[in-house]
Amino acid sequence: MNHSILLSPLLPLAFTVLAALPALAAGSDTQATDPQPTEKALFAGGCFWCMEKPFESLDGVVSVTSGYAGGSSEKPTYDDYSAGGHIEVVEIVYDPRRVSYATLLDTFWRQIDPTDDGGQFVDRGHAYTSAIFYHDDRQKQLAEQSKRQLAESGIFSRPIVTPILPAAKFWPAEDYHQDYYRKNPLRYAYYRNGSGRDRFLENAWQGKTYTVGQETVSVDLRQKLTPLQYRVTQEDDTEPPFDNAYWDHKEAGIYVDIVSGEPLFSSLDKFDSGTGWPSFTKPLVAENIVEKSDNSLFMKRTEVRSRKGNSHLGHVFDDGPPPTGLRYCINSASLRFVPAGQLAAEGYAGFEGLFK
């Protein structure tokens, strides 16, 4: 029997099905792995090194890229972008289902001086001015609304001058500028502390809130905490030594987590370490302290965090005094002090016996 004769009518159909299989498979895979829809935001807030970290810490932000925008020259570089009229910007790719554009706006305003049209902090000139670049009418409306609400809040005594502009072509900066705070932590910390940005934001936002768009953000930690408290507890930052609330504080009482209120340390275990930060020989409630390995800054350290609040507190070292030989080096910005005489009134009556 000639099998080829019997199969020949089926061959065209067979080849059609076989040819379609790769496409069907590809289509199935595409549906299964189709990336979630994202949107872009473009902000200028002076030095782009300082603008990356606050946005990268937000859940829902996919990427933050430093770059240049707003000028007329093509393919600008760090050496010539200002001559072409560009300013330093960050482009943010985000998932709008997890983080809103209003939250991005709130984060943006809290990083800059919106009343300065001549630059930002130590960086002067057009290249370092602030701006919001909108990609569509919705972003424009939200940006204008947030600017108006910020002006009406009275947080800043001078007019809000940050312009709201149509999105300009974005040019990514050189690789060595990307995630600069991670690649060069010491140089970044030195620059940031010396720029005056943190001190200005701390003074400007201390205890102040406002509403962004139609969203209620008063329960957000950025509203509850000062910019410094937020950076330290949520972004693992470090406050300046000898220039913080409790480094030389001697009053009797306990120190609790600024976020959760859980008791952490006692004044009875506090000592002067000479470092410029509050130091303790042991925790008040050991169960409230979580220790983690920290290999940043080219050294091996042990980070300490609060258990309930998951706040970054500081680090613990083995160069402390007796009886423990430990030194819990803690950021004041992570703590709230409760005086011994107010323990019962604030719900910490169980610790009153320590101070009698």
Side-chain angles (χ1 to χ4, degrees):
M1 182 180 293
N2 190 335
H3 291 84
S4 62
I5 296 176
L6 293 176
L7 290 174
S8 59
L10 300 177
L11 287 177
L13 175 62
F15 285 130
T16 300
V17 172
L18 289 173
L21 286 177
L24 291 172
S28 176
D29 288 343
T30 300
Q31 290 181 347
T33 61
D34 187 31
Q36 302 297 344
T38 59
E39 296 180 9
K40 291 182 179 181
L42 192 63
F43 299 112
C47 174
F48 45 34
W49 295 348
C50 296
M51 297 297 290
E52 286 186 323
K53 187 175 182 180
F55 289 107
E56 287 186 345
S57 68
L58 297 177
D59 180 41
V61 168
V62 178
S63 65
V64 181
T65 306
S66 291
Y68 319 107
S72 58
S73 61
E74 296 285 311
K75 299 181 180 179
T77 68
Y78 191 65
D79 293 329
D80 61 17
Y81 76 92
S82 60
H86 293 283
I87 60 178
E88 294 194 7
V89 298
V90 287
E91 182 183 70
I92 300 157
V93 178
Y94 67 101
D95 182 345
R97 297 167 307 169
R98 296 166 57 200
V99 60
S100 67
Y101 188 66
T103 297
L104 298 182
L105 287 168
D106 177 49
T107 302
F108 167 73
W109 291 122
R110 292 170 182 274
Q111 309 309 313
I112 69 167
D113 178 0
T115 69
D116 190 348
D117 59 3
Q120 288 290 295
F121 311 105
V122 297
D123 297 314
R124 312 310 300 163
H126 174 71
Y128 297 103
T129 52
S130 63
I132 298 174
F133 294 94
Y134 60 85
H135 287 86
D136 52 40
D137 288 341
R138 178 177 171 275
Q139 286 190 355
K140 179 183 179 182
Q141 293 172 2
L142 285 172
E144 290 176 341
Q145 185 177 18
S146 72
K147 180 177 178 179
R148 182 169 61 253
Q149 290 170 327
L150 181 60
E152 294 171 351
S153 71
I155 292 175
F156 297 94
S157 58
R158 297 189 299 168
I160 308 300
V161 298
T162 299
I164 298 173
L165 307 168
K169 181 174 177 58
F170 172 74
W171 302 91
E174 295 80 351
D175 287 344
Y176 69 89
H177 284 302
Q178 309 303 332
D179 289 326
Y180 190 87
Y181 71 95
R182 286 190 180 130
K183 298 175 181 175
N184 300 275
L186 293 178
R187 185 176 178 184
Y188 171 77
Y190 178 81
Y191 165 79
R192 175 116 193 179
N193 288 335
S195 70
R197 184 185 293 258
D198 290 342
R199 186 176 297 277
F200 172 86
L201 297 176
E202 176 77 7
N203 293 334
W205 286 98
Q206 178 73 39
K208 300 174 183 176
T209 63
Y210 80 113
T211 301
V212 182
Q214 301 300 320
E215 296 191 2
T216 301
V217 293
S218 59
V219 297
D220 192 286
L221 283 178
R222 288 184 301 277
Q223 300 288 339
K224 177 181 178 181
L225 306 177
T226 67
L228 177 61
Q229 291 169 341
Y230 187 88
R231 290 196 307 275
V232 169
T233 61
Q234 307 304 304
E235 299 176 355
D236 305 342
D237 209 343
T238 302
E239 66 193 4
F242 303 103
D243 186 17
N244 54 77
Y246 302 126
W247 77 272
D248 196 30
H249 190 242
K250 297 181 173 62
E251 187 177 355
I254 68 172
Y255 297 84
V256 303
D257 182 1
I258 190 69
V259 173
S260 65
E262 57 195 300
L264 300 174
F265 299 97
S266 166
S267 62
L268 298 175
D269 305 309
K270 191 171 186 290
F271 69 98
D272 182 3
S273 64
T275 61
W277 290 286
S279 299
F280 306 86
T281 57
K282 64 179 182 180
L284 175 59
V285 181
E287 293 77 12
N288 291 345
I289 298 294
V290 176
E291 297 185 2
K292 294 185 176 182
S293 296
D294 179 4
N295 297 317
S296 63
L297 299 182
F298 312 105
M299 64 182 76
K300 186 175 182 180
R301 297 178 296 172
T302 300
E303 179 195 14
V304 289
R305 306 185 71 89
S306 61
R307 182 172 298 280
K308 295 179 182 177
N310 193 31
S311 302
H312 170 71
L313 305 175
H315 294 83
V316 59
F317 303 92
D318 58 4
D319 57 2
T324 65
L326 299 176
R327 172 172 60 93
Y328 287 84
C329 188
I330 308 300
N331 289 280
S332 291
S334 301
L335 305 173
R336 181 174 72 86
F337 178 73
V338 182
Q342 298 179 20
L343 290 173
E346 296 205 26
Y348 301 98
F351 299 103
E352 284 187 312
L354 296 174
F355 302 97
K356 293 182 178 178

